[in-house]
Amino acid sequence: MTDTDHHSATDGVRAGAPDRLDRLYRADRRPARIVARLTGQALGPYQSAVIRIGFAGTWLLFLLREFPHRQEMYGPDGPWSFDLAQQLTASNHAFTVLMWADSQVWFEFVYAFAVLSSVLFALGWHTRATSVLFLVGVLSLQNRSIFMGDGGDNVIHLMSIYLVLTRCGQVWSLDERRARRRAERAGESADRTRTDRAGTDRAGTVLWAVLGAVLAVATLAGKVDGGFAGGWLTVLWGLWAVQGLWWSAGRYARSDQPRIFLDVVANVVHNAALFVIMAEACLIYATAGWYKIQGSRWQDGTAVYYPLHLDYFSPWPALSGLLSASGVMVMLVTYGTVIAQVAFPFTLFNRRVKNVLLAGMMTEHAVIALVLGLPFFSLAMIAADAVFLPTSFLRRLGGWATRAREGLARACGRLSSRVARTRLGRALPGPREGAPRPAETAAGAAGAGVDTAEEPHVGFTA
């Protein structure tokens, strides 16, 4: 090889080196970007908010619907007696505060507490604390009478545990509105406000102190199962201590480093819990689909026909009869259900296919709620499916809700103004129909030598 050839080859290598180095750099930086994203932010803020609202709203509607029957379901004198519930919880160590006393007053208090915690959690008021209160309300009622639940109750049971670990109040919550208003008043960004002014919330501090006192009383009375090395006592005290550590870091830390570290830990826990929620939804559909494949009625395409003719699952007999009258329709729904449930976990690798199948499954659950009379099971599954909704759609949904709320507020304002004008016009004396106008009366009075003064304006001005 001549010197000319050697230099040409060297120049070619040098010319191609930047491209290879750039590719190697990007490949090397990819894991770093993933780690930075998982630790630097809580992913899926809109998805976590919608499942928070969905599950809290579903549980709230269930408690309100079953309010007349609460005694038979969870009361101290229900079919599943207090003694039987004590024996069961002693063997499986399930957590329920209804086992702390068998009085009617305590039961009514716990039921009202479950309703209130659902409302506060759905609104996003101090979500870190209310998520734990929501968990306590769900477990207390469901573990009191475990034979009263169905598949929807099991989903709410699991998701109430997972939601405690998420930062589900980032958007669409009173916490987010409070942080935004603080930022506007302080002239800072919302993130800086959350970091620098976390200890200024008096309501959160009082709530934390009250809950700590209640937990201390329950611990001293021996009402919480487990010890400080394990069990529900460790879980509850651990959550309370973490919240106090968070508040102390924002209140007394001289630098931002402790709060930044806690933010990183909270982001990692949130992202892991969100992944578990997604995996749980996939597991529910996958197991349901594969178990259906093994059933002979699902194999021959007639499985949907039978529940449509059960009185328990026929709130609208005419509608059930209409759907089951067509054999082709029954076969398509039967096979379509199995295919959708088995294929759903695999469609997550393609966004468009996933969105289409997700819309179909949500529609199917809405039909189940209407035709089979299972509204709360369907609402729970729709709330679980919402974790897969695209962020762009949820943002548009939030924009539509905001515009609808503003339009309703404007309409209410106009209506109240009209009502106020009407009441004011009826209350104040004025010229009746056919009576002389004020100008004519004033002119006549001036001609008669009577002194007139300008009357003060009363009412609204343009």
Side-chain angles (χ1 to χ4, degrees):
M1 179 182 293
T2 63
D3 293 340
T4 304
D5 296 336
H6 175 74
H7 288 301
S8 299
T10 304
D11 293 341
V13 172
R14 290 175 179 175
D19 295 336
R20 288 194 294 272
L21 289 176
D22 185 61
R23 288 196 298 270
L24 290 174
Y25 176 77
R26 289 198 301 267
D28 182 64
R29 292 288 296 174
R30 193 172 302 158
R33 288 198 300 268
I34 294 175
V35 172
R37 189 177 182 187
L38 292 177
T39 59
Q41 60 179 322
L43 302 176
Y46 292 93
Q47 287 80 0
S48 57
V50 76
I51 61 176
R52 181 199 84 229
I53 298 172
F55 282 107
T58 301
W59 181 243
L60 174 63
L61 292 176
F62 173 79
L63 294 179
L64 295 179
R65 203 281 298 269
E66 299 298 340
F67 184 80
H69 314 290
R70 65 191 185 282
Q71 298 292 342
E72 292 79 6
M73 298 182 66
Y74 307 115
D77 298 328
W80 188 250
S81 65
F82 186 83
D83 293 336
L84 291 176
Q86 272 189 328
Q87 296 177 24
L88 182 60
T89 54
S91 61
N92 61 12
H93 302 284
F95 177 79
T96 170
V97 299
L98 285 177
M99 293 293 99
W100 293 2
D102 60 349
S103 66
Q104 182 65 30
V105 176
W106 177 246
F107 167 72
E108 297 292 349
F109 172 80
V110 173
Y111 200 92
F113 167 82
V115 172
L116 179 61
S117 63
S118 301
V119 173
L120 296 178
F121 189 49
L123 294 176
W125 184 77
H126 297 281
T127 38
R128 291 191 186 93
T130 53
S131 63
V132 180
L133 300 181
F134 176 73
L135 170 66
V136 171
V138 171
L139 297 184
S140 296
L141 292 177
Q142 290 190 355
N143 290 336
R144 167 64 176 84
S145 302
I146 60 174
F147 300 106
M148 296 295 178
D150 56 13
D153 295 315
N154 293 334
V155 175
I156 295 175
H157 191 109
L158 293 173
M159 294 302 175
S160 64
I161 299 175
Y162 301 149
L163 284 172
V164 173
L165 305 176
T166 63
R167 308 183 75 173
C168 53
Q170 299 178 95
V171 297
W172 298 346
S173 66
L174 296 178
D175 291 346
E176 186 266 340
R177 188 182 70 170
R178 183 172 60 253
R180 187 177 64 252
R181 289 182 175 180
R182 285 180 187 168
E184 293 173 355
R185 289 194 301 266
E188 302 171 347
S189 66
D191 292 337
R192 183 174 179 82
T193 300
R194 291 190 188 100
T195 302
D196 296 342
R197 301 176 180 272
T200 60
D201 186 9
R202 295 181 180 178
T205 305
V206 173
L207 180 62
W208 177 80
V210 170
L211 293 179
V214 172
L215 187 57
V217 172
T219 302
L220 294 176
K223 298 296 185 180
V224 184
D225 187 30
F228 283 99
W232 281 104
L233 194 64
T234 304
V235 172
L236 296 178
W237 275 114
L239 293 173
W240 183 83
V242 168
Q243 182 62 25
L245 181 63
W246 188 281
W247 178 83
S248 301
R251 181 75 173 181
Y252 298 110
R254 296 182 179 180
S255 65
D256 293 339
Q257 297 304 318
R259 187 58 183 265
I260 292 174
F261 173 75
L262 292 177
D263 269 328
V264 170
V265 174
N267 291 335
V268 172
V269 173
H270 165 90
N271 295 330
L274 198 63
F275 175 78
V276 171
I277 291 174
M278 298 170 67
E280 185 71 34
C282 292
L283 184 63
I284 291 173
Y285 284 122
T287 53
W290 286 107
Y291 272 115
K292 286 182 175 65
I293 289 177
Q294 302 175 33
S296 59
R297 294 293 177 265
W298 291 96
Q299 293 176 4
D300 59 25
T302 61
V304 175
Y305 175 84
Y306 298 99
L308 293 175
H309 289 272
L310 294 176
D311 294 337
Y312 184 78
F313 294 110
S314 299
W316 314 100
L319 182 59
S320 300
L322 180 64
L323 293 177
S324 62
S326 174
V328 176
M329 178 63 69
V330 171
M331 182 186 67
L332 291 177
V333 173
T334 302
Y335 287 149
T337 300
V338 176
I339 293 173
Q341 291 181 346
V342 173
F344 180 74
F346 302 99
T347 62
L348 300 180
F349 298 100
N350 189 294
R351 182 178 301 178
R352 295 182 179 179
V353 177
K354 181 262 295 181
N355 291 338
V356 172
L357 189 59
L358 186 62
M361 298 187 73
M362 286 185 169
T363 303
E364 180 185 9
H365 286 303
V367 173
I368 290 175
L370 179 64
V371 177
L372 299 182
L374 297 172
F376 301 109
F377 166 77
S378 299
L379 286 175
M381 292 309 303
I382 290 174
D385 294 341
V387 72
F388 299 105
L389 289 174
T391 303
S392 57
F393 170 75
L394 292 176
R395 286 178 176 174
R396 287 196 298 269
L397 183 63
W400 296 338
T402 300
R403 287 192 292 270
R405 183 187 62 191
E406 292 175 351
L408 181 61
R410 287 194 298 268
C412 293
R414 289 194 296 267
L415 180 61
S416 61
S417 299
R418 291 176 183 175
V419 172
R421 290 193 190 100
T422 303
R423 291 179 177 177
L424 192 59
R426 291 177 179 176
L428 294 177
R432 299 180 180 178
E433 185 177 357
R437 296 182 178 180
E440 298 175 355
T441 306
V450 179
D451 295 333
T452 59
E454 183 180 356
E455 295 183 0
H457 176 77
V458 179
F460 297 91
T461 57

